[in-house]
Amino acid sequence: MVHRTFRNEFANSSKVVRAVVPGDTRRSAFIGRYLGNVISVLHHHHAAEDDLLWPKLLDRMPFDGSTFQRAEDEHAVIGAAIDKVERARSVWARQPGLDTGEQLAAAIEELSARADEHFDYEEMNVVPLIAQHITQGEWQEFIDRGAATVGPKNLWFSLAYSGFLLADATPEERRRFLASVPAPLRIVVTLLGGRAHAGYRAKLAV
């Protein structure tokens, strides 16, 4: 689910940036914050993999060390692409123009391409190993790490992001996602996630 959402949001973001009228700082500021939030989710997702999943898998499957090393190496490549996006985002959010917008859109497209390659590799080579060798409790610890990043400043975006995740989810994916969310947050997601998602989608429409 989370890979699908990252793919969709990054693929859409370059189009959204290019559609902003030069000088429309109100819209560029909103889109800049949205993009920064999506990148923050990706960063925390990869940090949790590096800290909580890869060491356990490597300990249990030392003969597959090259598999996890490639995943970590790709995280570093994505991190460099993120840095380019962040530099361009900072400028464009304050000074939305044709040149600054194109620089940001191109950086997003590079990040999207690197992330897609990485997701393809993980889904083919790593996700099956997680299913086989990571316990339910360990997986829940990984999920909880992400939930811990939700706070007052990013709550509405986090609710919208849950809506992004659930928008294309199968009934079984939806059930498993909601079951993994801490109970207090699950109630808020159920009540307000759809509204937050619809609000973001309307504001991000090209």
Side-chain angles (χ1 to χ4, degrees), residues 20-48:
V20 172
V21 176
D24 188 348
T25 54
R26 182 175 181 179
R27 183 155 176 77
S28 68
F30 171 79
I31 294 169
R33 288 193 300 271
Y34 146 80
L35 182 57
N37 279 322
V38 174
I39 286 173
S40 178
V41 175
L42 178 60
H43 169 74
H44 287 297
H45 174 72
H46 282 172

Side-chain angles (χ1 to χ4, degrees), residues 15 30-31 55 70 86 103 134-135 138 148 168 177 185 193 195:
K15 303 171 188 174
F30 171 79
I31 294 169
R70 173 170 169 176
E86 290 291 70
Q103 289 170 6
I134 294 296
T135 69
E138 290 166 343
D168 298 321
F177 171 76
L185 186 57
R195 186 188 306 176

Side-chain angles (χ1 to χ4, degrees), residues 50-111:
D50 291 341
D51 294 345
L52 299 178
L53 297 183
W54 296 174
K56 293 182 177 69
L57 288 170
L58 186 57
D59 183 59
R60 293 163 193 176
M61 307 183 65
F63 49 86
D64 276 328
S66 60
T67 299
F68 309 120
Q69 185 60 55
R70 173 170 169 176
E72 287 191 4
D73 290 346
E74 288 180 349
H75 284 183
V77 170
I78 290 171
I82 284 175
D83 289 343
K84 289 180 65 174
V85 171
E86 290 291 70
R87 288 192 295 271
R89 179 177 73 88
S90 177
V91 174
W92 176 79
R94 299 190 309 271
Q95 301 172 355
L98 293 177
D99 290 343
T100 57
E102 185 55 36
Q103 289 170 6
L104 176 56
I108 294 170
E109 288 173 342
E110 180 182 347
L111 171 59

Side-chain angles (χ1 to χ4, degrees), residues 119-135:
F119 297 150
D120 287 344
Y121 179 78
E122 276 195 349
E123 289 162 11
M124 179 73 70
N125 298 284
V126 181
V127 172
L129 300 180
I130 291 174
Q132 294 171 29
H133 299 282
I134 294 296
T135 69

